[in-house]
Amino acid sequence: AARAAALGEGVTAMIDIPSPAVAVVGRHNSGKTTLIERLIAELVGRGLDVGSIKHHSHRGFDIDIPGKDSYRHRAAGASETVIAAPGQVARIKTVEDEVECSELVRSMPNHDIIVVEGYRKSGLPTIEIMRSGNEADCRAARLFVKAAREGLPLTTDFTQLGRAVDRAGNAAGRDGAGEVPGSGEMPGAGEVSGASDYSAAADAAAKMPSTNTVAVVTDIPEAEEAAALYGIPAIGLEDVAALADFLSEHYVRPRVTVVIQAGGESRRMGQSKATVPFAGRPLICRLIERLSPVADELIITTNEADRLGFLADLYPDLDIKLVGDAYKERGALPGLYTAL
């Protein structure tokens, strides 16, 4: 144990690896939180480390409890309070303006993926949700498919398009026609009556798929058609497994295996290079400590596994795999073959 402690003195600190992130966006009552809750559970069930960010649009929310010590610290004027307990830590900080989503993501390294709720304009890849049970989503789907059928780009000003549809719908209603010119088979596209409906339609038009949209989660046929026309994957509203598959394939941080070759004949040195002391410690220990922070899996190909058995005791948390050479011939190429 003393030898292991002495050898392990030089273990390097963990390297922070940036976390990939995607945003789930939609209109009010689209079901974003429900979808994200199920998605996180699915991803975690697959063994992934998931972080999450929730965009709260209202100023003045609080996660601290009045009367608790940490709340009293902040009430006394502390601009930042950290609450720490075994296995858990929370930080509450007063800021002048809203923190950018990109800054929040940078502050959360080492996750396999971060799922963000909201932040449509963050520049992140976005997953658009449209639910048939939400009228705002239905309005958005009708605008979405209208633009797609007309070959309009995703950079289209949907707000202006929505207003044009609403004006046409109101005119058609006054004439008793009940249809929007150029709306094709979009039932209800012109159903706007009064300022509140107009405002809701404008809100739906302002929150539309864009060039950042990488997938659409929906149970609305018009949205599925529009996604297909734009070449965007459409995933069923209840098919959380398919959404997790999509994220795993395209956005989850890929796993990295690092291999150290320690199986040469050492003819020129006359002894195993792996265990040669370098500044008082075995050379292989320095390699392990440099490489392990970026490795999800660490493999050592070797023809002397018995001599390197001490590494398991020295680095119990790394789960180092000692793999014997696949061929009896020594050299770099058989070692590479073994690693692959």
Side-chain angles (χ1 to χ4, degrees), residues 91-282:
R91 183 185 301 270
I92 306 173
K93 183 177 181 179
T94 301
V95 296
E96 291 295 327
D97 299 305
E98 185 171 0
V99 179
E100 293 289 337
C101 184
S102 58
E103 184 177 340
L104 295 175
V105 171
R106 283 196 298 271
S107 73
M108 299 171 63
N110 304 318
H111 295 290
D112 293 317
I113 191 168
I114 295 176
V115 180
V116 179
E117 180 174 345
Y119 282 107
R120 178 182 292 276
K121 298 180 180 180
S122 64
L124 290 174
T126 60
I127 296 169
E128 189 81 34
I129 179 171
M130 293 183 180
R131 182 172 61 88
S132 61
N134 185 30
E135 180 54 32
D137 287 348
C138 293
R139 288 191 181 102
R142 291 192 289 265
L143 285 178
F144 191 25
V145 78
K146 176 176 174 61
R149 289 170 179 172
E150 294 182 3
L152 300 177
L154 285 172
T155 53
T156 295
D157 186 341
F158 283 98
T159 300
Q160 294 300 322
L161 180 63
R163 288 172 179 168
V165 169
D166 292 341
R167 285 194 296 270
N170 287 333
R174 286 193 298 271
D175 293 339
E179 291 187 2
V180 180
S183 64
E185 299 177 357
M186 294 182 292
E191 294 175 3
V192 178
S193 58
S196 61
D197 284 342
Y198 183 88
S199 174
D203 178 65
K207 298 177 179 178
M208 293 293 295
S210 69
T211 53
N212 290 325
T213 303
V214 296
V216 176
V217 176
T218 187
D219 60 349
I220 304 175
E222 288 88 351
E224 294 175 353
E225 178 188 343
L229 290 172
Y230 281 116
I232 300 172
I235 299 170
L237 190 64
E238 299 299 323
D239 199 349
V240 177
L243 180 56
D245 289 341
F246 174 78
L247 292 178
S248 296
E249 181 179 355
H250 297 285
Y251 294 101
V252 168
R253 181 183 66 83
R255 303 289 177 154
V256 177
T257 296
V258 174
V259 181
I260 298 173
Q261 293 203 73
E265 292 187 23
S266 301
R267 290 176 180 174
R268 287 166 293 182
M269 183 160 287
Q271 59 177 309
S272 170
K273 294 188 287 291
T275 54
V276 168
F278 180 78
R281 300 173 59 240

Side-chain angles (χ1 to χ4, degrees), residues 277-296:
F278 180 78
R281 300 173 59 240
L283 181 61
I284 195 168
C285 292
R286 298 185 176 274
L287 290 173
I288 290 172
E289 290 158 16
R290 290 290 185 180
L291 295 171
S292 61
V294 297
D296 294 292

